[in-house]
Amino acid sequence: MKEVTISELERRFQEKIDNDIKIEPKDWMPEEYRQTLIRQISQHAHSEIVGMLPEGNWITRAPNLRRKAVLLAKVQDEAGHGLYLYSAVETLGADREATIDDLHTGKAKYSSIFNYPTTSWADMGTIGWLVDGAAIMNQVPICRCSYGPYARAMVRVCKEESFHQRQGFEIISLLAQGTPEQKAMAQDSLNRFWWPSLMMFGPNDAESKHTAQSMKWKIKRSTNDELRQLFIDVTVPQAEMIGLTIPDKDLKFNEETGHYESGPINWDEFWEVVKGNGPCNKERVDARKKAKDEGAWVREAAMAYAEKRKERSAIRA
Amino acid sequence: MSNKEWPLWEVFIRSKQGLNHKHVGSLRASDAQMAVDNARDVYTRRSEGVSIWVVESNSVFASEPTDADSLFEPANSKAYRHPMFYDVPDGISHM
Ligand SMILES: [Fe+2]
Ligand SMILES: [Fe+2]
């Protein structure tokens, strides 16, 4: 085989991407592309897993058996999403347990939305409607991401998300049509989750330092602001339809552009939460650490059992 | 006590009778039975399968992308393997 220079490999790599040829695990890729994907996919995986906590909080208190079964199924789906994504990270040569340890030490982040508490049943509705809704907006373009395993994981995830959003919207719209107390509960939930949901799309494009390179590599297919606008445009009419008010006094529809214009986002709050100072950051990471530490003996016992059985069948053979 | 990480397994699902098992992803499990059980729980939640294969990932021997030219190029230059390469006179049917 003849020697090929790095710049030639990089040129061929970019050419593949430009021609929409997917990159697969064993293909040559620039180290920075690999590291960007490891960071992004593992943080995405952490978000799925940490995201189970605010909803898990309500499983035992769901108002009836159907709601309980649905919420349980939804939270189980999120565990599966985490699994698909951790598996995709492993195809890049990253150590799964090391990425999880990065979450526990605070080195790796996860979606800031999950650092807000779920204080009422209406929050189960709002999370499905807005948080899964925003996740869909974010994830659909990733189905066309240049890295094959990530794109395929996203296709699986997106197939499951629409159930998540619909079950949430059903909860919130029923509450909004209910008694004055139920409607107030729905509105209060929307008031608390609206702005953090908009922050889920990440900083404004001008502040987002990775966007340009990620777009060139087709890891990212739309910018944060484009996706946020899309989300606002589809969600505002849904809120109006069920009689809830978006908590933004500056919100107005621009007839000329056909888009909603919204008030300023409190980015100081966003960065505080990202830095670890949100209402539930510590609680969330502590819960994950506890799960790993207290589950250690189970993982060890299962492995010891498997090894013992293997030895026994080797002796018999 | 063992501190070893659970091995990685590749999961293949037959979506219905008559079709091949198809690779769908991977997972970690301490043994083959647990791998099948976990695959059932995550990869067939919405009736996606009727049969599951699991194979330990390190048992898969894969071709190298850098060998792709020498492996697959020869097929590209043999267009005569395709039926379109042949002239069938007008009036001939069922061929
Ligand atoms: Fe998810
Ligand atoms: Fe979801």
Side-chain angles (χ1 to χ4, degrees):
Chain A
M1 204 182 73
K2 57 181 186 303
E3 280 300 313
V4 188
T5 60
I6 290 282
S7 64
E8 173 58 15
L9 286 169
E10 277 172 356
R11 193 196 59 77
R12 287 183 199 168
F13 173 82
Q14 189 62 46
E15 192 176 72
K16 268 190 184 166
I17 299 223
D18 294 342
N19 289 318
D20 280 325
I21 296 172
K22 299 282 183 208
I23 307 302
E24 293 295 343
K26 294 180 81 174
D27 294 341
W28 186 88
M29 61 187 84
E31 195 46 32
E32 211 192 317
Y33 175 84
R34 185 186 300 276
Q35 292 310 327
T36 300
L37 280 171
I38 290 174
R39 190 183 64 239
Q40 183 175 332
I41 304 173
S42 65
Q43 297 193 4
H44 194 162
H46 302 332
S47 301
E48 301 287 351
I49 299 298
V50 176
M52 296 164 76
L53 297 168
E55 288 177 299
N57 179 34
W58 279 91
I59 290 173
T60 56
R61 291 176 289 159
N64 61 45
L65 192 55
R66 174 173 177 261
R67 294 282 172 218
K68 185 172 181 166
V70 168
L71 184 59
L72 188 58
K74 197 258 187 200
V75 173
Q76 285 172 338
D77 278 353
E78 304 298 3
H81 297 178
L83 172 98
Y84 306 152
L85 289 160
Y86 285 123
S87 297
V89 175
E90 287 196 272
T91 66
L92 291 156
D95 181 285
R96 179 188 304 220
E97 292 307 316
T99 64
I100 292 170
D101 290 339
D102 284 347
L103 168 71
H104 295 177
T105 60
K107 191 179 155 209
K109 303 295 177 204
Y110 53 89
S111 185
S112 58
I113 191 84
F114 301 119
N115 291 312
Y116 292 86
T118 45
T119 52
S120 78
W121 170 252
D123 293 351
M124 297 305 97
T126 314
I127 287 183
W129 174 33
L130 300 182
V131 177
D132 289 84
I136 292 171
M137 294 282 171
N138 263 326
Q139 290 169 342
V140 167
I142 311 177
C143 295
R144 295 184 298 121
C145 157
S146 61
Y147 187 58
Y150 192 23
R152 291 191 288 274
M154 272 311 104
V155 170
R156 303 190 68 84
V157 165
C158 286
K159 273 189 196 153
E160 301 185 338
E161 288 294 354
S162 119
F163 148 59
H164 298 179
Q165 196 185 21
R166 286 183 184 201
Q167 63 85 33
F169 190 69
E170 191 185 83
I171 291 172
I172 205 74
S173 52
L174 276 176
L175 287 174
Q177 291 156 31
T179 64
E181 289 80 8
Q182 287 172 322
K183 186 169 181 185
M185 189 200 266
Q187 182 63 52
D188 165 68
S189 181
L190 176 58
N191 292 348
R192 285 180 287 112
F193 276 94
W194 175 252
W195 291 103
S197 299
L198 297 189
M199 295 175 199
M200 279 178 73
F201 296 93
N204 287 131
D205 294 347
E207 315 289 315
S208 175
K209 47 186 168 54
H210 302 298
T211 296
Q213 182 58 270
S214 286
M215 297 278 279
K216 190 169 176 242
W217 278 334
K218 294 186 181 169
I219 291 173
K220 214 174 167 144
R221 311 285 318 233
S222 312
T223 72
N224 297 352
D225 288 334
E226 284 165 4
L227 292 169
R228 184 164 22 240
Q229 187 63 50
L230 188 62
F231 176 77
I232 294 170
D233 288 342
V234 306
T235 310
V236 173
Q238 293 169 353
E240 280 169 6
M241 197 82 86
I242 58 173
L244 295 181
T245 309
I246 301 285
D248 177 358
K249 60 179 172 29
D250 299 318
L251 187 74
K252 57 176 184 295
F253 188 69
N254 183 326
E255 295 283 351
E256 263 167 51
T257 61
H259 293 296
Y260 284 92
E261 286 165 7
S262 47
I265 291 173
N266 182 350
W267 291 113
D268 291 341
E269 175 184 324
F270 172 77
W271 290 116
E272 273 307 299
V273 178
V274 169
K275 268 187 258 162
N277 304 323
C280 301
N281 294 60
K282 189 177 178 312
E283 187 184 329
R284 301 295 185 236
V285 174
D286 285 351
R288 292 311 312 149
K289 277 192 216 158
K290 182 166 177 260
K292 183 165 179 171
D293 294 345
E294 294 183 2
W297 72 270
V298 179
R299 293 191 303 275
E300 284 167 19
M303 200 62 236
Y305 175 71
E307 281 175 344
K308 200 153 126 192
R309 287 223 316 184
K310 221 189 252 173
E311 270 167 37
R312 282 212 191 120
S313 61
I315 293 165
R316 246 181 280 131
Chain B
M1 276 280 174
S2 165
N3 275 319
K4 264 171 65 186
E5 250 188 76
W6 291 354
L8 192 64
W9 302 78
E10 299 302 321
V11 179
F12 300 80
I13 306 273
R14 185 201 295 286
S15 58
K16 61 176 196 182
Q17 297 290 111
L19 296 180
N20 290 319
H21 285 78
K22 199 176 149 202
H23 184 244
V24 293
S26 57
L27 50 76
R28 286 192 176 267
S30 62
D31 64 16
Q33 187 57 52
M34 188 197 279
V36 167
D37 293 345
N38 289 355
R40 196 282 308 255
D41 286 348
V42 284
Y43 289 109
T44 65
R45 287 176 60 71
R46 290 175 176 79
S47 313
E48 292 95 335
V50 295
S51 165
I52 298 170
W53 285 354
V54 293
V55 178
E56 245 192 277
S57 308
N58 61 20
S59 303
V60 175
F61 186 83
S63 65
E64 288 297 328
T66 45
D67 294 339
D69 280 354
S70 58
L71 282 174
F72 306 115
E73 201 288 324
N76 296 339
S77 57
K78 294 176 178 63
Y80 51 83
R81 288 177 177 175
H82 297 276
M84 301 84 86
F85 194 69
Y86 299 88
D87 291 328
V88 177
D90 289 345
I92 299 287
S93 53
H94 303 295
M95 190 178 281

